[in-house]
Amino acid sequence: MSLTAKVPSDAKILSPLVGEGRVGAVVVGGDYQGLGIVRSLGRHGVPVCIIDDERSISRYSRYATHTVRVADLRDQDASVDTVLEIGERLGLDGWVLYPTREETVAAFSRHRDRLAQHFRVPTPAWETIRWAWDKRNTYGLAQQLGIPVPRTWYPHEPSDLAAIPTDTPLAIKPAIKEHFLYQTKAKAWMARSRAELEQLFARASALIGPGEVMVQEFIPGDGSQQFGYGVFFKSGDAVGRMAVRRLRQHPPDFGRASTFVETADVPQLEDLSVRLLRAVNYYGLAELEYKLDSRDGQYKLLDFNARTWGYHSLGTRAGVDFPYLLFKDQIGEPLDGCQAIAGLRWMRTVTDVPASLVGLIHGQLDWRTYLRSLRSLNTEAVFSLRDPLPGLVEVALLPYLALKRGF
């Protein structure tokens, strides 16, 4: 089957499924997060098409039915055109769409009606997604709902910084992550003095504009004080749910991603998360990130991701198969509620090793604790004896991944 010039010649395309009457899934983004979706669905016999604009490890999975590498998925309008074009040419009508990045979630949400003519689109409409897309909306709504958040300021001019106290470290971060992350490969910057605050605010403003720069208090504690709540949410209820403690992260101060997490029993996270998700009439997969503030004992909301998340594959091991729950619901199969077993551990080796080395060097982690954590590991993000090629390819791609996205 021939594709347009937008699709490079390295596309892996197996036989089209037109006429077979099988519903599959389209995973947009083939990194380790996408790989978790591919494996989850593939184990259940669901055909999967992967679309990516990067060198994808998922395309080497035994569960990949089609993989197509395209030129660009960051432009929202163009990415929707690309997905529709590939769907038409490969006969993917009625397949379920799984976005793995913020900008793809926004694109699918804004063009939901157009996409829904050809696909099943679990991504909610923009009136819901906007609360996750822009963190100014997230924090404002959280405060209205009585959900604790860190103290946050929204300066527009350098003169506005005078009203921000610098008695504790401050995080300079974007209101819209994609506008900052791709340029800096960082989630946030740390300011420990007035001079640093002014300097970093100027740098951030030059990159994304002063209106999108937020300044937020840095809650004391390392990544081990951070928690996550992953959920499949439907009709106001958490059908599948998993709370975790982030034991290690990369980078150590402002983790772009978890590197080692453990499932936990933290009822407060469910109470807070359900309150927010109900308020925005949410449907689908989501992850909410919190940090425990030892000063007042409150779990404070840091982030709201309206999609799958990095460690979601731990759910399969813990009894909550998030991608398959969503797929079953999309094709009309009945669901049973489920909660993750506490005490199970997940690691992504290629980022946990450097994160752990930093902790060992700075005395934040000792060798015995580190080695014990490896012995208690239950699942790895990429390496699998049943599906080994993605893990081998990821090691080979480490220089590319470091350059492209800082891992």
Side-chain angles (χ1 to χ4, degrees):
M1 175 177 294
S2 63
L3 296 177
T4 66
K6 291 183 179 179
V7 182
S9 58
D10 68 345
K12 167 190 169 187
I13 304 170
L14 303 184
S15 59
L17 301 180
V18 177
E20 295 186 13
R22 300 178 65 191
V23 177
V26 180
V27 179
V28 185
D31 65 354
Y32 71 101
Q33 181 191 152
L35 177 65
I37 303 171
V38 173
R39 286 173 170 169
S40 162
L41 301 178
R43 292 186 191 108
H44 293 281
V46 178
V48 182
C49 174
I50 303 156
I51 302 174
D52 205 349
D53 60 353
E54 297 181 351
R55 297 187 184 278
S56 170
I57 60 172
S58 293
R59 74 186 300 254
Y60 297 95
S61 172
R62 60 182 290 195
Y63 301 109
T65 310
H66 308 291
T67 63
V68 184
R69 187 176 175 194
V70 299
D72 179 34
L73 290 172
R74 293 186 185 178
D75 180 275
Q76 293 184 24
D77 292 340
S79 67
V80 169
D81 291 339
T82 297
V83 170
L84 286 168
E85 178 186 18
I86 293 171
E88 181 180 356
R89 291 181 176 275
L90 294 183
L92 309 182
D93 284 356
W95 286 34
V96 183
L97 293 180
Y98 287 81
T100 62
R101 304 178 195 165
E102 303 293 329
E103 63 271 24
T104 316
V105 170
F108 287 4
S109 177
R110 287 173 167 142
H111 297 271
R112 193 173 189 278
D113 290 345
R114 187 176 165 213
L115 288 163
Q117 296 176 30
H118 305 276
F119 298 101
R120 288 175 168 89
V121 188
T123 302
W126 181 247
E127 63 187 23
T128 292
I129 292 299
R130 69 187 185 91
W131 298 104
W133 172 253
D134 190 326
K135 303 314 167 191
R136 293 166 294 193
N137 293 338
T138 307
Y139 296 134
L141 178 60
Q143 289 178 306
Q144 292 177 32
L145 297 172
I147 299 171
V149 297
R151 287 187 300 166
T152 307
W153 297 266
Y154 308 93
H156 286 265
E157 303 291 341
S159 59
D160 296 335
L161 300 176
I164 301 175
T166 55
D167 53 331
T168 59
L170 297 166
I172 290 80
K173 57 195 300 186
I176 300 172
K177 283 191 290 188
E178 71 147 1
H179 295 171
F180 185 82
L181 190 62
Y182 286 122
Q183 297 188 70
T184 67
K185 297 184 176 64
K187 195 172 184 178
W189 292 331
M190 177 84 80
R192 295 178 174 83
S193 66
R194 176 72 55 186
E196 274 193 313
L197 173 61
E198 293 173 352
Q199 177 188 21
L200 293 175
F201 175 76
R203 284 178 58 192
S205 297
L207 289 174
I208 61 176
E212 287 190 19
V213 179
M214 303 187 304
V215 178
Q216 192 172 80
E217 69 169 336
F218 181 76
I219 298 174
D222 56 17
S224 65
Q225 296 299 107
Q226 289 192 208
F227 293 78
Y229 180 78
V231 62
F232 172 60
F233 202 77
K234 179 185 179 182
S235 302
D237 291 318
V239 179
R241 51 208 182 274
M242 176 174 72
V244 304
R245 183 172 185 172
R246 180 181 279 191
L247 300 179
R248 294 192 288 271
Q249 62 182 0
H250 173 79
D253 284 337
F254 298 115
R256 283 189 53 191
S258 303
T259 68
F260 198 101
V261 304
E262 179 181 50
T263 53
D265 183 14
V266 191
Q268 300 97 312
L269 300 186
E270 181 162 346
D271 293 340
L272 297 171
S273 301
V274 167
R275 195 183 311 170
L276 179 63
L277 295 169
R278 283 177 178 166
V280 302
N281 192 31
Y282 194 81
Y283 169 84
L285 303 178
E287 186 227 21
L288 295 97
E289 299 177 13
Y290 298 85
K291 190 167 186 179
L292 177 59
D293 192 334
S294 59
R295 299 169 298 182
D296 56 19
Q298 291 186 321
Y299 292 91
K300 296 184 176 177
L301 180 67
L302 297 180
D303 211 348
F304 174 13
N305 296 308
R307 50 169 172 77
T308 51
W309 51 98
Y311 60 86
H312 75 83
S313 56
L314 175 58
T316 302
R317 180 69 174 80
V320 189
D321 193 342
F322 288 104
Y324 191 55
L325 275 176
L326 178 64
F327 184 84
K328 286 177 67 177
D329 192 61
Q330 284 290 298
I331 64 173
E333 292 189 11
L335 302 177
D336 294 321
C338 48
Q339 181 171 346
I341 301 167
L344 299 183
R345 294 182 166 192
W346 169 100
M347 179 176 73
R348 185 181 179 215
T349 304
V350 297
T351 49
D352 191 64
V353 169
S356 299
L357 286 174
V358 171
L360 290 166
I361 291 170
H362 292 281
Q364 300 165 335
L365 179 67
D366 64 80
W367 282 105
R368 290 182 180 178
T369 301
Y370 177 64
L371 293 176
R372 279 199 302 269
S373 72
L374 299 183
R375 288 197 296 269
S376 63
L377 182 67
N378 298 103
T379 187
E380 212 281 336
V382 175
F383 293 100
S384 169
L385 291 177
R386 295 190 62 189
D387 190 26
L389 274 181
L392 298 174
V393 172
E394 185 176 56
V395 172
L397 287 178
L398 282 178
Y400 169 83
L401 293 171
L403 180 65
K404 187 78 174 179
R405 54 168 61 191
F407 291 104

